[in-house]
Amino acid sequence: MSQQTFLYNLHKQLNAQLADFAGWQMPLNYGSQIQEHHAVRKQAGMFDVSHMGVVDIQGAEATAYLRHLLANDVQKLQNGKALYTCLLNSQGGIIDDLIVYRINPEHYRIVVNAGRRSVDVDWFKQCAQTFKVEIRTRFDLGMIAVQGPAVMSLIEKLFSQGLTQQIRALPPFGFTLYKDWHIARTGYTGEEGIEVILPGEQAPVFWRQLLDAGVQPCGLGARDTLRLEAGLNLYGVDMNEKTSPLESNLAWTVAWQDAQRNFIGRDALAQQMNQGLQQRLVGITMQQPGVLRNHQRVKLNEKIGEITSGGFSPTLGYAIALARIPMGSEMVAEIERRGEWIPVTIVKPPFIKKK
Amino acid sequence: MNNYPQDLLYTPSHEWVRIEDGQTVTVGITEYAQHALGDLVFVDLPKLGVVQIGHPIAVVESVKTAADVYSPLTGEIIEINKDLQQSPGLVNTDPYNSGWLFRLKIKSITEDRARLLAPHKYQALVESSS
């Protein structure tokens, strides 16, 4: 039985093509996924991301708890700052990727993938047994992402002058709280923009205001092509519980600096490094016409790898993909398509420059 | 809603056929098919030459799906729509005209046309499956 977000009725009114995603009825597109993609790169687009899980972590030991739980170190944060991190199991495998926001040292907010919310919260609770923290899933909150080069300019149509200035002054991954709203300079598209967490019953009005301001509604189809161009991983596709951050192009998200910080998975990752990594996640581009597909085989010298996220870049006009391949220094490879081997180039993501 | 031009014939695999004259037909995919696929980014058209009815001879690719296009008749491909190389989206915006895929020379339309569906039959097929 699919769940509906706070914006479901609006999606229907806008003639969205709906599909099930992680147990939620979500808009795939509102007519043309490619047009929506271009709208985000050129102007402004918006995404209903209310299906994602918002979990508040509060208590005297919130900081100590999260320093133990997460591979990146929340010690780096100040109030009003967030960071991106993996949530690891004791084998160093990725349970989920998430963003954690520090409201104050005893109150953090975590946003997790929709399809992993239950698993994540169970794990949070399991790991919280020896810490003075409370874990509360915020089913009352919705979330809308507004992304594109025009966003920082058009927010003056939506917010007071004071709040507009505050938002414009945010550094990347900075956020501000206003009444029950949480406005962050984060995103999953590689464009400038904000993600707004707000009381669910206020989401429809805000969505309408965004429409009136000329923002293009965008579905999951465009969300996927945008994040791929930006070189951003998709959990469950580019990484899972059997892959570590080191094999997922996310080594930079692991904070080793404090040798005393025994975060979950640290020992396993250290061991993996000592033994030598076997595989890596890279970018692939194909100059020949066509689309790259998930699970297509990749051949380099005598070794075989696999495309994890295959697709097409509407911005660049050629096929791009992320692929998990054996360690090496090759710059070219071949992919197998309908029985033929086609040359491709290995590149370091992102495929387009992030803003 | 779906569009079923009355001057065309159809296949159960969602190709349409326009009879240009006794020996030449133009082939494309239907409104229903383009909508199901979403925005096309690549059309892999056949080389010129002989093809058999029912064989997969072209591929239309959207960002997340590739679908085979089957030859509706036996014949010889004499022309392909070169515009689709730069503008595969024509198949989405104008599937029955500028989004045509290829032209076939056939021996005899009278024989083969019996294998194709009249517009109302194709419409019934589409509406019964949705």
Side-chain angles (χ1 to χ4, degrees), chain A residues 322-344:
Chain A
L322 293 170
R324 188 161 277 108
I325 61 175
M327 292 305 283
S329 50
E330 292 88 352
M331 308 277 277
V332 293
E334 293 174 303
I335 57 103
E336 189 182 21
R337 179 179 77 186
R338 301 195 273 277
E340 269 188 80
W341 288 97
I342 313 223
V344 293

Side-chain angles (χ1 to χ4, degrees), chain A residues 130-145:
Chain A
T130 51
F131 292 91
K132 289 195 179 62
V133 287
E134 266 170 44
I135 295 164
R136 191 159 77 104
T137 305
R138 299 297 304 270
F139 293 106
D140 58 312
L141 297 175
M143 189 164 162
I144 297 174

